[in-house]
Amino acid sequence: MGGWEDRRVRWDLRLESPGPATRVEIACGASRDLLRDLEELSGTFFLVLDQGFQEGHKTLAESLSEKASGVALIPGGESHKTPEQLIRLCSHIVGAGLGRGDRVVVLGGGAVLDLGGLAAALVLRGLPLIQVPTTLLSAVDACLGGKCAVDLPEGRNLLGAFHFAERIVVDPELLGTLPKTEFSSGLGEVAKYGLGFSKILMDWLREIPPLNAQTSPKLLEELVHRCLRIKSDVVLEDPWEKKGLRRTLNLGHSLAHALEALAGPDTLNHGNAVALGLRAELRIGKLSPSEQREGEAFLDHLGLPNAFEQVLPSTPKLEELRVFFSRDKKREGEWIHEPRIHSLGGCHVERLKASSYLEDAFSALV
Ligand SMILES: NC(=O)c1ccc[n+]([C@@H]2O[C@H](COP(=O)([O-])OP(=O)(O)OC[C@H]3O[C@@H](n4cnc5c(N)ncnc54)[C@H](O)[C@@H]3O)[C@@H](O)[C@H]2O)c1
């Protein structure tokens, strides 16, 4: 066996609960094998396709659609991650006549994976699910971990469930059609894994050529593997977010979610919002000045934003942000469980006064 080039990465994420493990598979070309694999499985499948993905990958989308019992084409983006879209999708799946042994197969960005995953969790009290992420962000993060949700007018991801996929298939060749901004959004979550979980990942990212939508699929394969391994280890330790460990994966996200909700759907992409949350954490956290500079230089290296104005039409108002911040799922009354970077490549969760944290994080960015 030679280097990375020869390997097809596979592992099973086996949870503490009874039931099947999630098979995680990362390989260039893996999506081409999916059709054959689906034909070999018992039962039929319902296909949920992200429209943005489908437009760039018509051949794969068509060959999968021909074999499916039903197909739903869902526009990508946050504005479609709604209860109304969820109900329509559930009806469509039921209408296609799926039974308990059949599957839901979702190909899409994080928004469509979240929506399709939740529909799979709800129809017939849960159908087996296969997730195929098609954006960088969904490949390094959203596809794994069982969380699926839609948004409510009151805030992001407030209507959701845990539903672990039986299989996750990541094919980096599918990412070649991503617009520049969507690729860069994925780097926000990549940066989270580096700053909060792995100095080795940070060092590796600083050694390789700058990542962009033209980066070779082979290099992306390694990137996805490094990131999903980190997430997989955390999820295995705390699958249902009971021990607090899984909350570390929300590093930079409290501020990010409030900013996204304030900006409105599809205005500020998730990864850029996370990048701002990470910047704020670096500036107000416990790092030495040299570590802070190193952390910021790392975000600069990935081309991530460093101020509100770079990604929003204007600086948000603190009082407006407070409204959305108060709806954060990590809140307990006036407290929030917030991941903090204790040293580059490591983070832990602290219980903090929510209002003080928001004020500090906001001030760090204006
Ligand atoms: N469940 C989780 O654990 C988890 C974790 C992180 C993020 N998320 C969720 O993920 C969502 C963000 O995901 P995202 O960044 O993938 O954005 P997205 O799903 O909104 O997709 C972005 C855009 O890319 C298009 N697209 C998808 N694949 C494409 C391809 N291959 N080529 C060209 N265009 C393509 C989509 O149609 C969409 O317009 C948010 O809703 C967030 O809450 C979930």
Side-chain angles (χ1 to χ4, degrees), residues 110 212 230-231 254 265 322 344 349:
N212 55 48
I230 293 171
K231 182 160 184 184
S254 315
R322 263 188 222 287
L344 289 176
V349 174

Side-chain angles (χ1 to χ4, degrees), residues 50-54 56-57 74-78 81 108-114 134-138 141-149 151 156-157 174-179 182 185-186 189 231 246 253 257 260 266 269-271:
D50 183 317
Q51 198 171 337
F53 161 76
Q54 182 261 357
H57 299 267
I74 313 270
E78 201 64 29
K81 212 175 111 176
V112 172
L113 292 189
D114 275 4
T134 65
T135 60
L136 179 61
L137 188 140
S138 60
D141 190 348
C143 66
L144 187 146
K147 284 187 179 179
C148 45
D151 302 334
R156 297 277 308 269
N157 295 325
L174 301 182
L175 308 183
T177 49
L178 276 179
E182 294 306 338
S185 168
E189 295 287 4
K231 182 160 184 184
R246 196 168 167 171
H253 281 59
H257 283 154
E260 286 175 271
D266 301 332
N269 69 36
H270 184 64

Side-chain angles (χ1 to χ4, degrees), residues 43-217:
T44 179
F45 68 94
F46 187 94
L47 186 66
V48 182
L49 278 178
D50 183 317
Q51 198 171 337
F53 161 76
Q54 182 261 357
E55 282 160 10
H57 299 267
K58 288 213 158 55
T59 311
L60 176 64
E62 272 165 25
S63 50
L64 286 168
S65 302
E66 279 167 16
K67 301 284 175 202
S69 316
V71 182
L73 196 57
I74 313 270
E78 201 64 29
S79 54
H80 299 277
K81 212 175 111 176
T82 60
E84 296 75 22
Q85 189 72 265
L86 173 71
I87 299 298
R88 269 200 297 279
L89 178 58
C90 290
S91 294
H92 199 156
I93 297 173
V94 171
L98 261 73
R100 279 250 161 80
D102 299 327
R103 290 173 172 73
V104 175
V105 179
V106 190
L107 282 88
V112 172
L113 292 189
D114 275 4
L115 174 77
L118 187 56
L122 296 174
V123 171
L124 304 181
R125 295 203 182 85
L127 291 171
L129 170 69
I130 297 179
Q131 299 272 51
V132 184
T134 65
T135 60
L136 179 61
L137 188 140
S138 60
V140 296
D141 190 348
C143 66
L144 187 146
K147 284 187 179 179
C148 45
V150 295
D151 302 334
L152 290 178
E154 288 76 13
R156 297 277 308 269
N157 295 325
L158 291 178
L159 191 64
F162 281 101
H163 189 55
F164 285 85
E166 66 172 10
R167 197 167 159 202
I168 296 165
V169 180
V170 187
D171 182 352
E173 289 178 6
L174 301 182
L175 308 183
T177 49
L178 276 179
K180 198 168 163 242
T181 49
E182 294 306 338
F183 188 92
S184 147
S185 168
L187 293 178
E189 295 287 4
V190 170
K192 171 189 81 177
Y193 291 121
L195 290 174
F197 299 85
S198 170
K199 184 78 166 35
I200 294 172
L201 176 62
M202 277 183 75
D203 292 341
W204 180 74
L205 285 163
R206 287 183 287 203
E207 278 163 19
I208 60 173
L211 293 162
N212 55 48
Q214 275 69 54
T215 295
S216 81

